[in-house]
Amino acid sequence: MHELTTDALLDAVRAWVEIESPTNDAAGVNRVADHAEALLRGIGATIERTPGRDGFGDILVGRVPGDEPGPGVLLLGHMDTVHQRGAFGFRREGDRAYGPGIYDMKGGNAMALAALAHLHATGRRPRLPVSVMLIPDEEVGSPSSRAAIEAEALRHRAALVVEPSGEGGKFTIARHGIARWHIRTIGRPAHAGAYHAEGRSAVREMAHHILALEALTDHPRNFYVNIGIVHGGTHENMVPAECRAICYALAPTAVEEAELRAAIHALPRHDPDVRTEVTPGLGRPPFVKTPAIQALYDHAAALAAECGLPSAGERVAGGGSDGNFTGALGVPTLDGLGVIGGGPHTREEFIELRCLVPRTRMLARLFATLGPGVGEL
């Protein structure tokens, strides 16, 4: 892509968005991987593609040579979306474009590959090698890809994540952790009329647990505990013998994570005849800003200003990304380098067209300038 124009970049974004790829549609995700692989091969990248497992799509890595040898930069993105096929389509309205996954995060993927293609078309290469790693299952916690992400991150000097920016364009310099727990209560069934006294309600026991766990929420600490899914009972005229719930928590540090874990394991037994089982689910560790991340941010913010973007600003994000994994390993990680927009995970998901050219130029400049000693920029 020799010329970076809004129309050309929007066409690039649209090509990603119109390949629908809900996480549970491995074939759809793999069609996105096919598209990305073709783009990467077009700029001279070598391709490594790991077949999907556990019902998920493939993991794609494209390695772009740099001018300087040695460990390079890991660029992270995900190909899956939360939107099922046919939920809604791409459209452009005024200074915005809408579509499934356009904000989270196909717009960022398209810009990053366009930035690399721009360098290639103008006879340049990244200063350091760039490994573009595209993930098939981020929206459900990256269960099939976390180990690969972590192994790849440890071979690189830094990680750049093109998840969407927040709060009008801010870069993400830290992320809170996410903890999930699966809770199951097992009671005793009985006819809810004639034999009610013989039953032991698993739902009632779960209700006590829900109140206890959600009471841990502490908004000033950014510690949020939510029971978002509950399933119990089989018939209204039957004392429910089983209930299941999923606890999802935003834990800003390991302290809150440990507090939740302790509470889960100490849930009191309100009915001595009802048993409770708890199982940890998929989570994401928190990561905090380090001097190396500050250096990455300062460098990117200066380039953003050069490219016509206002002062980018920094933020700590509540939502998780694959940057949680790299940052928690101590790999300098700068997240939120993608598009400006809003409406993630809704049918009004959009990007602001004004961001496409300057943010793509900024990414191209990042690739062209990041060098050895990333933490000492």
Side-chain angles (χ1 to χ4, degrees), residues 72-78 105 108-109 112-113 115-116 126-135 149 152-153 156-164 171-173 175 287 292-293 295-301 303 321-324 326-327 331-338 359 362-371 374 377:
V73 174
L74 176 63
L75 180 83
L76 272 174
H78 66 83
M105 61 175 294
N109 294 339
L113 267 64
L116 290 167
R127 182 175 175 186
L128 292 175
V130 174
S131 297
V132 179
M133 188 175 198
L134 296 172
I135 300 304
I149 293 166
E152 197 66 49
H156 290 76
R157 298 179 187 272
L160 304 178
V161 188
V162 283
E163 287 276 6
F171 299 147
T172 300
I173 47 78
R175 282 191 183 272
F287 81 94
I293 290 176
L296 269 177
Y297 167 78
D298 291 342
H299 187 73
L303 294 178
S321 88
D322 288 328
N324 285 78
T326 62
V331 177
T333 298
L334 188 60
D335 204 334
L337 291 167
R359 302 250 336 168
M362 176 201 66
L363 287 168
R365 292 279 290 131
L366 265 177
F367 296 137
T369 57
L370 286 177
V374 169
L377 294 170

Side-chain angles (χ1 to χ4, degrees), residues 21-27 29 55-56 80-81 83-84 136 140:
S21 54
T23 312
N24 59 5
D25 181 357
V29 172
F56 298 112
D80 61 320
T81 79
H83 303 287
Q84 293 303 306
V140 294

Side-chain angles (χ1 to χ4, degrees), residues 44-369:
T46 56
I47 301 297
E48 299 170 16
R49 189 158 168 170
T50 304
R53 60 181 178 85
D54 302 329
F56 298 112
D58 299 349
I59 297 173
L60 178 69
V61 179
R63 303 198 188 276
V64 181
D67 284 332
E68 298 183 20
V73 174
L74 176 63
L75 180 83
L76 272 174
H78 66 83
M79 301 177 287
D80 61 320
T81 79
V82 300
H83 303 287
Q84 293 303 306
R85 283 179 169 277
F88 64 114
F90 174 89
R91 73 182 192 275
R92 177 177 180 171
E93 291 183 3
D95 58 359
R96 291 181 174 182
Y98 298 77
I102 195 168
Y103 177 73
D104 182 17
M105 61 175 294
K106 291 183 175 181
N109 294 339
M111 289 197 311
L113 267 64
L116 290 167
H118 178 69
L119 292 178
H120 180 78
T122 52
R124 294 174 290 163
R125 296 200 301 185
R127 182 175 175 186
L128 292 175
V130 174
S131 297
V132 179
M133 188 175 198
L134 296 172
I135 300 304
D137 54 354
E138 189 272 348
E139 292 292 4
V140 294
S142 307
S144 76
S145 52
R146 176 176 179 172
I149 293 166
E150 292 175 333
E152 197 66 49
L154 291 172
R155 294 195 284 266
H156 290 76
R157 298 179 187 272
L160 304 178
V161 188
V162 283
E163 287 276 6
S165 65
E167 301 170 27
K170 291 184 178 180
F171 299 147
T172 300
I173 47 78
R175 282 191 183 272
H176 298 325
I178 291 173
R180 284 184 181 86
W181 287 88
H182 298 267
I183 308 167
R184 180 186 179 215
T185 50
I186 303 99
R188 182 192 303 158
H191 189 287
Y195 297 90
H196 186 273
E198 297 181 10
R200 298 293 184 267
S201 173
V203 167
R204 187 172 68 173
E205 190 76 0
M206 184 66 77
H208 286 293
H209 296 339
I210 291 170
L211 292 173
L213 292 172
E214 291 209 348
L216 295 173
T217 292
D218 187 340
H219 288 115
R221 291 165 62 197
N222 295 314
F223 181 26
Y224 314 135
V225 181
N226 183 66
I227 310 298
I229 297 177
V230 182
H231 295 295
T234 56
H235 196 279
E236 68 270 18
N237 197 26
M238 179 177 178
V239 176
E242 182 178 0
C243 188
R244 295 175 182 265
I246 299 177
C247 174
Y248 173 100
L250 188 71
T253 72
V255 172
E256 290 79 14
E257 204 169 31
E259 186 177 328
L260 175 64
R261 185 184 308 111
I264 288 276
H265 285 294
L267 285 170
R269 202 165 187 170
H270 294 273
D271 186 328
D273 295 324
V274 178
R275 181 163 50 92
T276 298
E277 297 176 349
V278 295
T279 307
L282 291 169
R284 293 184 186 273
F287 81 94
V288 298
K289 183 171 72 170
T290 63
I293 290 176
Q294 183 68 61
L296 269 177
Y297 167 78
D298 291 342
H299 187 73
L303 294 178
E306 289 177 15
C307 295
L309 290 163
S311 177
E314 60 184 58
R315 69 164 186 153
V316 178
S321 88
D322 288 328
N324 285 78
F325 302 138
T326 62
L329 288 173
V331 177
T333 298
L334 188 60
D335 204 334
L337 291 167
V339 293
I340 298 171
H345 296 193
T346 75
R347 294 188 179 187
E348 294 301 311
E349 186 170 338
F350 72 91
I351 60 170
E352 297 181 6
L353 301 184
R354 64 178 176 84
C355 79
L356 291 176
V357 171
R359 302 250 336 168
T360 304
R361 289 192 185 280
M362 176 201 66
L363 287 168
R365 292 279 290 131
L366 265 177
F367 296 137
T369 57

